[in-house]
Amino acid sequence: MIGVFYVQNTQFREWTDKTIFRKEVKQDNLATIELKEGENPIVYAFNQTIGVLNKNEFSLYNNTGKEEKTVTLEITNPLFDSENRYLAIGENKGKKLYLMEDKDIAWEKTIEGEISQVHVNKNGYVAVAITGTIHKTVIAMYDPHGEELFNIYVSFNRVGDIAISSDNKYLAIAEIDTSGTMIESNIKIVSIDKAKTDPDNYIVNTYTGEKNELVTNIKYQTKNQLVCLYPDKITRITMDEKVETLSENQTKKITFQAIELNDHIVTVEEKSSGLFTADSIVTITNTENKNTTTYAADSVTKEIYTNHDIIALNLGTEIEFINTSGWLVKRYLAKQEITQITMSGNLAGIIYRDRIEIVNL
């Protein structure tokens, strides 16, 4: 009975979340990582760790703010990507590439050309997009031990994004053709096994988007379905080669949308709630069964962050962390405007000039 009342009564749920479940936390009352003013380090959360990169030193902190390890990286302008216990780090427009497993460097490489993108899957397979060679882009693929598996050469189109399936069988490449009067996006599915042994027949399928459609992000989810993000819609490509639309935004004021979640996508719609006020309506869609859940925040969302099963709504001086079931996980209240957040599926770091405040999710 209490559970039903919690679900149906908003005021009771707000009171319970705050007083019983302690979901509301405030600035200056959390574990922190101290930063030296003026150094402007780069902060990135992954797995259960917050990493702080400053002058080639990557310091790793746990969820209580305790420093556990420092590793040396020859990187100053990093590209990060993480999944499970793996973290890939590449020097943006540079040559150094690292894979970390938990808190240790698994391997490092020096790349010929300039790194423009890095991607890692949950098993530690790494794909890196490289420019500055005789080809427009080269996609290099590595196994978890750092062995190069193959190179794919993209001679004419720009690479928008890359993704590796969780079973290590497929590499998806989103290519963008700007040579004509209208942009054209193509998504190529590569068999990783074939690319290692048969460089002329590794493409399993190619999907051509409609004219003037720009694909901005792709991600493999459950059952090797590939979710594709466009400015005005989200689609998925299934293993039986069907292309289905999961969300269309032409008739709504969609301010944010994201696909970097476990088997879900999310859109945020701004809806007027008064003469000078607006709410944020968050729609969370399960990409496998297409069931939707909604969550309402009574402010305009400034920015969203997504990771695994968590969606963070930056509402200015407040962050609401919700899960893909549409329930509030934590609410963070600040005394000032929040401008920088880093988040994994387990914790978030609220970054200020002199410290990082840690919110455990």
Side-chain angles (χ1 to χ4, degrees), residues 76-288:
T76 56
N77 184 21
L79 295 168
F80 291 111
D81 190 51
S82 61
E83 190 66 46
N84 198 12
R85 66 183 189 275
Y86 292 100
L87 170 66
I89 314 167
E91 178 72 36
N92 189 19
K93 297 182 180 179
K95 298 181 179 299
K96 293 299 294 186
L97 176 67
Y98 296 84
L99 178 69
M100 292 189 64
E101 183 177 358
D102 294 320
K103 296 177 177 64
D104 297 312
I105 296 174
W107 53 261
E108 63 178 274
K109 300 283 181 184
T110 300
I111 304 297
E112 290 185 14
E114 297 180 348
I115 297 170
S116 60
Q117 292 183 53
V118 294
H119 175 74
V120 64
N121 79 348
K122 70 175 186 178
N123 301 312
Y125 283 78
V126 176
V128 54
I130 304 163
T131 59
T133 68
I134 60 173
H135 300 276
K136 187 89 171 181
T137 306
V138 178
I139 309 295
M141 183 94 180
Y142 299 90
D143 72 10
H145 307 291
E147 180 183 345
E148 185 174 284
L149 301 178
F150 56 80
N151 288 327
I152 291 176
Y153 302 98
V154 182
S155 297
F156 303 105
N157 298 333
R158 181 170 67 86
V159 173
D161 199 13
I162 48 181
I164 308 167
S165 64
S166 59
D167 62 4
N168 320 317
K169 289 184 177 180
Y170 300 102
L171 169 68
I173 305 171
E175 295 185 11
I176 300 167
D177 183 358
T178 58
S179 61
T181 56
M182 289 189 289
I183 291 173
E184 186 172 283
S185 296
N186 302 310
I187 297 170
K188 292 181 178 177
I189 309 298
V190 172
S191 166
I192 291 174
D193 284 340
K194 287 184 178 179
K196 291 188 289 185
T197 58
D198 188 356
D200 296 321
N201 296 290
Y202 54 77
I203 296 176
V204 176
N205 220 323
T206 300
Y207 301 88
T208 302
E210 296 179 15
K211 296 292 185 181
N212 228 25
E213 280 191 337
L214 176 65
V215 60
T216 57
N217 195 9
I218 57 176
K219 178 178 172 59
Y220 270 110
Q221 296 190 355
T222 291
K223 297 180 180 178
N224 284 345
Q225 59 179 346
L226 184 70
V227 182
C228 309
L229 179 67
Y230 298 84
D232 59 355
K233 69 178 181 180
I234 300 173
T235 66
R236 72 169 179 174
I237 301 171
T238 63
M239 276 301 293
D240 55 2
E241 302 180 3
K242 293 179 181 177
V243 181
E244 301 174 344
T245 299
L246 298 172
S247 172
E248 286 188 288
N249 310 327
Q250 289 92 338
T251 61
K252 300 176 182 179
K253 189 177 181 181
I254 300 295
T255 52
F256 299 100
Q257 52 181 0
I259 63 175
E260 296 292 338
L261 290 162
N262 287 345
D263 303 327
H264 290 79
I265 61 170
V266 61
T267 62
V268 180
E269 180 184 5
E270 187 179 311
K271 274 194 172 181
S272 175
S273 58
L275 190 59
F276 301 109
T277 59
D279 294 339
S280 294
I281 307 301
V282 183
T283 301
I284 305 158
T285 303
N286 184 306
T287 52
E288 190 169 358

Side-chain angles (χ1 to χ4, degrees), residues 41-58:
I42 297 165
V43 183
Y44 186 81
F46 62 101
N47 201 10
Q48 301 183 51
T49 301
I50 291 180
V52 179
L53 179 64
N54 187 27
K55 297 178 181 177
N56 299 131
E57 296 295 310
F58 195 42

Side-chain angles (χ1 to χ4, degrees), residues 35-40 353-355:
L35 301 175
K36 293 182 180 179
E37 291 195 50
E39 289 192 343
N40 297 318
R353 186 181 66 256
D354 59 347
R355 70 195 185 285

